[in-house]
Amino acid sequence: MVSDKKNLSPSSSRKLNSPPAEETTPLIDNTKPLSSHPKTLANVFIAIVGAGVLGMPYAFKRTGWIMGLLILSFIAASTTYCMTLLVQIRRKLDSYENGTTNISSFGDLGFAVCGTLGRFVVDVLITLSQAGFCIGYLIFIANTLLHLFHDEPFSDLSLSSGISRFTVKSLYIWGCFPFQLGLNSIKTLTHLAPLSIFADVVDIGAMGVVMLEDLRLIMLRRREVKAFGGVSVFFYGMGVALFGYEGIAMVLPIESEMKDNAKFNKILALSKGLTTLMYGAFGALGYFAFGDKTKDIITSNLGTGWISSLVQLGLCINLFFTFPLMMNPVYEIVKRRFSGGRYCLWLRWLLVLIVSLVALFVPNFADFLSLVGSSVCCCLGFILPGLFHLLAFKDEQGCKGCSLDIGIMIFGVVLAISGTWFSLMEILSAKE
């Protein structure tokens, strides 16, 4: 591994960009107080854990529980390595510019390495990924409320009964719409901080309750489960796992705010390890508890008791208030590119409308997780880190290092193409 303190070679230094004023302004403000080790660990954990965990039991059902655990472990290790590549690049550029590069986000790094095109590609992918997460949130909220308040199975809710399942789902999504317009109109995240903390506490508590219920059901009855699925579902599982580790865009902001960032890689690895244990336990227990009857959103398998209803409503509230937080990077990018860095209310409302419209036409939560993970998250998690590291270190790391970067990019391309194809086939087959 190349030392972060080593200066750029003359040939590589000529390729670094001295950006114009409007491009050098970082998306993240660096004047915040520096974070301690425990706070950094918590920040990384919160940045990673999201709605993707709710689709893990269904993914284990498709891939088999051993294959699912292996996929989770591999994705956790490989994405952690790619995250450390971004940190290496940022530290190297900082050492070359004596700490004046102002690189505090993925987009800033893209500009420093690849110029305007690099920042544009990163901005587009982050916009798609963050919007994809929010689309998943709306799908979960609508499907969960549908499960709670409409007991009829899918086949029984026909047009002859007065209202179809799709129409009921659309009513729940449109019911969220005006409230999301209000929440997403808030200019600063400071006012949403208490809601964010509340949402995280509810999320962890609800997951704990679900896992306890899974254990109770496993003790009562053991269901038949499979250890390995077919080759065709391998890429499907990879996509869901990638969606679950959704925090790569927040690595540089969190690392830049750490008091002793020399130990950031160890804290990142620890947080990823804890997250993987939680994801693996949640996915395996959910699959063991319900077997072939495991649904795309695990909370839909829970009974109709008041505890179950509170858990599901709590998760809905969590994602409802997380929505504006996840859309904030999109608003920052759109503000910088389309409104001259000024707050623009109608652009925010337009983006909320687009996200809501897309959510109406996605039938399955876990299939959508796999699609976003295989396409957008794969590019952000593998292809771009490998490419940026290759361009920044190609004159110093030799053939072995360059081959590793190229291998990461090739793996990302293969996974993106194959995973996107299989996920689209799943979504289209579900509509038939």
Side-chain angles (χ1 to χ4, degrees):
M1 183 178 295
V2 179
S3 173
D4 296 329
K5 300 292 184 181
K6 191 172 182 179
N7 290 332
L8 290 173
S9 64
S11 59
S12 61
S13 65
R14 287 193 298 267
K15 297 177 182 178
L16 293 178
N17 298 281
S18 297
E22 64 272 12
E23 289 284 1
T24 57
T25 304
L27 289 180
I28 308 296
D29 184 9
N30 277 330
T31 61
K32 300 177 181 178
L34 298 180
S35 302
S36 62
H37 291 175
K39 186 175 181 180
T40 301
L41 178 66
N43 287 339
V44 174
F45 181 83
I46 291 172
I48 293 173
V49 177
V53 66
L54 299 172
M56 289 297 172
Y58 181 78
F60 277 38
K61 168 190 170 182
R62 301 293 305 276
T63 64
W65 67 275
I66 292 182
M67 180 184 285
L69 290 174
L70 292 175
I71 289 174
L72 267 182
S73 301
F74 174 76
I75 292 297
S78 56
T79 53
T80 301
Y81 176 75
C82 289
M83 287 177 176
T84 62
L85 294 184
L86 299 182
V87 175
Q88 285 183 42
I89 300 169
R90 205 284 299 275
R91 290 178 180 176
K92 181 173 184 178
L93 300 184
D94 271 349
S95 68
Y96 174 71
E97 297 288 345
N98 295 319
T100 61
T101 54
N102 288 328
I103 298 175
S104 56
S105 70
F106 206 160
D108 298 334
L109 186 68
F111 183 87
V113 177
C114 295
T116 303
L117 178 61
R119 167 163 277 175
F120 175 78
V121 172
V122 172
D123 286 351
V124 169
L125 291 175
I126 287 180
T127 298
L128 292 175
S129 66
Q130 298 299 117
F133 299 149
C134 292
I135 291 169
Y137 295 169
L138 291 179
I139 296 171
F140 174 85
I141 292 172
N143 287 349
T144 299
L145 294 178
L146 186 65
H147 169 72
L148 284 175
F149 301 115
H150 298 272
D151 295 331
E152 301 92 337
F154 179 85
S155 58
D156 292 339
L157 282 173
S158 61
L159 287 172
S160 60
S161 66
I163 191 166
S164 68
R165 181 184 177 113
F166 175 79
T167 304
V168 173
K169 175 183 173 182
S170 66
L171 287 177
Y172 286 129
I173 291 177
W174 288 123
C176 295
F177 182 70
F179 299 100
Q180 286 299 340
L181 290 181
L183 286 174
N184 286 268
S185 300
I186 299 175
K187 294 183 180 181
T188 174
L189 292 179
T190 303
H191 301 303
L192 291 173
L195 296 178
S196 175
I197 296 172
F198 168 75
D200 291 328
V201 171
V202 169
D203 191 24
I204 295 175
M207 288 177 58
V209 172
V210 172
M211 292 173 71
L212 288 175
E213 177 66 12
D214 291 341
L215 285 172
R216 186 186 70 83
L217 293 175
I218 292 172
M219 294 176 66
L220 290 176
R221 177 185 177 186
R222 290 192 176 184
R223 295 184 179 271
E224 183 178 350
V225 295
K226 59 183 178 182
F228 294 92
V231 178
S232 61
V233 297
F234 172 78
F235 294 105
Y236 178 91
M238 296 282 277
V240 175
L242 270 171
F243 188 102
Y245 296 108
E246 60 189 43
I248 191 167
M250 294 301 297
V251 169
L252 292 179
I254 293 174
E255 190 267 348
S256 65
E257 295 174 9
M258 185 177 175
K259 187 177 300 183
D260 181 15
N261 57 15
K263 298 182 179 179
F264 176 77
N265 288 349
K266 293 183 179 179
I267 292 179
L268 174 64
L270 176 60
S271 182
K272 271 298 192 71
L274 294 175
T275 304
T276 302
L277 289 176
M278 184 183 70
Y279 278 9
F282 191 84
L285 289 176
Y287 179 39
F288 290 160
F290 300 103
D292 288 338
K293 295 183 179 180
T294 305
K295 298 181 180 179
D296 62 321
I297 301 176
I298 187 61
T299 52
S300 300
N301 284 106
L302 300 179
T304 56
W306 66 272
I307 295 180
S308 171
S309 299
L310 285 178
V311 168
Q312 295 179 70
L313 288 175
L315 289 170
C316 288
I317 294 171
N318 165 36
L319 298 182
F320 183 84
F321 288 119
T322 305
F323 186 105
L325 298 169
M326 296 301 289
M327 285 295 290
N328 189 69
V330 179
Y331 299 145
E332 293 296 322
I333 291 171
V334 171
K335 180 176 69 173
R336 173 165 49 81
R337 290 194 171 272
F338 297 104
S339 62
R342 295 184 299 273
Y343 173 84
C344 184
L345 180 62
W346 72 266
L347 274 176
R348 290 187 172 218
W349 285 13
L350 177 62
L351 290 169
V352 174
L353 175 62
I354 292 173
V355 167
S356 301
L357 288 174
V358 174
L360 291 173
F361 297 100
V362 180
N364 186 284
F365 177 72
D367 290 346
F368 184 76
L369 300 192
S370 181
L371 176 62
V372 176
S374 298
S375 55
V376 181
C377 296
C378 189
C379 294
L380 287 171
F382 293 117
I383 300 175
L384 290 186
L387 175 62
F388 291 167
H389 192 265
L390 176 64
L391 293 176
F393 286 86
K394 66 179 180 180
D395 296 322
E396 304 169 22
Q397 61 183 355
C399 293
K400 183 177 180 180
C402 292
S403 299
L404 181 58
D405 289 338
I406 294 173
I408 291 173
M409 288 189 290
I410 293 175
F411 171 75
V413 171
V414 172
L415 179 59
I417 294 174
S418 55
T420 300
W421 172 261
F422 283 114
S423 299
L424 284 174
M425 292 300 99
E426 292 289 338
I427 290 176
L428 294 176
S429 64
K431 285 187 173 184
E432 294 177 355

